[in-house]
Amino acid sequence: MRAIVAGISLFYSIQLMANPMLLLQRDELTLNGFLMVDAGYTYVDNISGESETDFTSGMMSPNLIGLSGSYNTGKEIDIIFNLENQFSLEDGRTVGDDLFSRQSWIGLKTPYGSITGGKQYEFMFESLSEKRWGQKLSAVSLHQMQQGPYQSFGFPSIDFNRTSGAFRVESAVKYVSPVYKGMSAGIMYGDESSGAKTLSTGLNYANENLRINMAYTKSDGFLGSPSEVENYGIGFAMDVGNHTYDAIYTKTHNELNDAEVDVFGVGMHSMLGGNYFIYTNLQYMDGNASIGNRDAMQIGSTLMYKYSPNIDFYGTVVYQDTSGDGTTHANITAVPGSSSDGSQLLTRIGVRFILF
């Protein structure tokens, strides 16, 4: 379970590309490189009836090392690529398979849009998290994302609505349109080595203060499991002074066993002054009868202090309360086990370094 938890600590890597720590630019060629590490101590009050305090890494941001770049051909066509590896500070090993375990793709960027091929994110993450939150994504803890008492979903309940970016799509071809009057769209199809076939689409609108995003992903044979999973979602984020307000709705449905969970979430990011930031969100997860009518209410908050441009200190608190048919077991995202009863409390303190 710990290996799975480490494997989902990932979803800030795209926004980091906007602020590379290493920049090499020579006429037609631009290379961006970075190294990011996150570590801290997490206390959970109830894991199978026992409290636990652990050193864990990659929770506020994943531990990543990567290289991306572009080459201008001089004919309004750029060759673009992205290679990312995630590693664990606990044992120093690569998280996932192969050298570039997070992303590995290459493609073309033209005035008519970009097309890329390889292992890459689909639009439930790219539209509803990366584009909706923008730079605020770096203040959202993985612990504040969706999981809950859904062990009978028919596939792993970790990131069941795919907005955390836990699961990239292998052998995928993706097209993203250029932005026109604030609008952009994309479509992707992947035929994975696990046997899964994934289709994903996204639609986005953005102006100076408002972002509206929609996405759909269907995966037959998700993670090699006997499942036909559909994810739908819509969300927005609006900047008002020093605050950003956001909301999201997602539906996840496994057609093979009719298991379904609706997620309703709201959040607020605030700049407090003095290099302090806080992000607080509340979400309600509603499971249907096929999944035991299991519901979860979760509230979480992360307070961050930007000590320097490369160093952040932070603290996170998350509480989840569950109910449903029979005994329910709360399970906060990235906790290595569910509670013995219907509630679970987590606190974490940590530090993030962005170095190169």
Side-chain angles (χ1 to χ4, degrees):
M1 185 67 176
R2 293 179 184 273
I4 296 175
V5 169
I8 69 173
S9 306
L10 53 91
F11 68 104
Y12 303 103
S13 56
I14 289 181
Q15 67 90 25
L16 187 63
M17 293 293 93
N19 297 286
M21 290 293 102
L22 173 69
L23 175 63
L24 174 62
Q25 191 165 8
R26 292 181 179 175
D27 299 328
E28 305 91 352
L29 178 65
T30 300
L31 293 178
N32 303 316
F34 69 91
L35 171 67
M36 178 165 61
V37 294
D38 167 86
Y41 281 90
T42 302
Y43 167 82
V44 184
D45 73 330
N46 186 335
I47 299 177
S48 300
E50 301 290 335
S51 64
E52 190 172 309
T53 302
D54 293 309
F55 172 83
T56 56
S57 66
M59 296 300 154
M60 195 65 210
S61 294
N63 306 311
L64 295 173
I65 184 167
L67 181 68
S68 66
S70 64
Y71 179 83
N72 190 296
T73 65
K75 298 180 180 180
E76 294 190 322
I77 297 177
D78 290 348
I79 299 172
I80 55 177
F81 72 91
N82 191 12
L83 303 171
E84 293 180 10
N85 174 263
Q86 183 180 348
F87 57 93
S88 167
L89 286 183
E90 290 92 321
D91 56 19
R93 297 179 181 179
T94 292
V95 176
D97 300 324
D98 303 319
L99 176 59
F100 299 109
S101 60
R102 184 54 50 212
Q103 291 194 86
S104 55
W105 53 258
I106 190 169
L108 300 175
K109 183 177 181 180
T110 77
Y112 308 102
S114 63
I115 184 167
T116 53
K119 185 177 184 179
Q120 48 195 320
Y121 292 108
E122 43 76 53
F123 289 99
M124 288 297 292
F125 169 72
E126 189 170 294
S127 291
L128 294 176
S129 293
E130 191 266 332
K131 290 188 180 297
R132 183 172 66 98
W133 272 316
Q135 293 296 319
K136 307 299 191 304
L137 184 59
S138 64
V140 184
S141 171
L142 182 62
H143 292 307
Q144 292 175 258
M145 301 301 284
Q146 298 81 23
Q147 188 166 345
Y150 302 117
Q151 294 82 5
S152 59
F153 224 142
F155 57 90
S157 61
I158 294 172
D159 192 23
F160 59 82
N161 65 0
R162 301 186 75 146
T163 58
S164 299
F167 309 107
R168 283 77 56 218
V169 180
E170 299 175 358
S171 303
V173 177
K174 178 194 289 185
Y175 168 77
V176 178
S177 75
V179 178
Y180 177 72
K181 294 186 177 180
M183 299 288 296
S184 64
I187 186 168
M188 186 186 74
Y189 177 76
D191 190 352
E192 304 186 60
S193 60
S194 65
K197 299 183 186 300
T198 301
L199 173 68
S200 183
T201 61
L203 182 63
N204 309 289
Y205 170 78
N207 62 26
E208 185 177 355
N209 298 311
L210 176 66
R211 296 168 294 283
I212 302 173
N213 311 91
M214 294 181 284
Y216 167 78
T217 294
K218 181 175 182 180
S219 182
D220 294 339
F222 179 52
L223 297 180
S225 63
S227 60
E228 296 180 9
V229 183
E230 287 188 296
N231 292 282
Y232 308 80
I234 184 169
F236 81 90
M238 182 169 57
D239 303 321
V240 181
N242 291 330
H243 308 285
T244 299
Y245 303 92
D246 71 79
I248 189 172
Y249 165 74
T250 68
K251 178 184 287 291
T252 302
H253 182 219
N254 185 356
E255 294 181 358
L256 292 191
N257 61 6
D258 200 37
E260 186 173 283
V261 176
D262 296 289
V263 176
F264 305 85
V266 293
M268 182 176 71
H269 177 280
S270 298
M271 295 182 286
L272 302 179
N275 293 327
Y276 284 94
F277 306 85
I278 190 169
Y279 179 73
T280 300
N281 69 337
L282 173 69
Q283 51 194 325
Y284 173 64
M285 294 169 267
D286 180 21
N288 68 356
S290 296
I291 207 167
N293 294 307
R294 294 182 175 181
D295 300 337
M297 183 70 76
Q298 178 175 296
I299 185 169
S301 188
T302 294
L303 176 65
M304 180 177 293
Y305 172 62
K306 183 163 284 297
Y307 177 77
S308 73
N310 293 8
I311 301 175
D312 301 317
F313 295 100
Y314 65 88
T316 298
V317 178
V318 179
Y319 175 76
Q320 184 181 109
D321 186 70
T322 64
S323 61
D325 299 342
T327 302
T328 59
H329 303 278
N331 198 175
I332 295 170
T333 300
V335 169
S338 56
S339 68
S340 60
D341 55 22
S343 64
Q344 193 171 64
L345 173 68
L346 172 150
T347 59
R348 174 176 173 82
I349 55 172
V351 59
R352 174 173 56 194
F353 300 87
I354 302 174
L355 306 170
F356 214 164

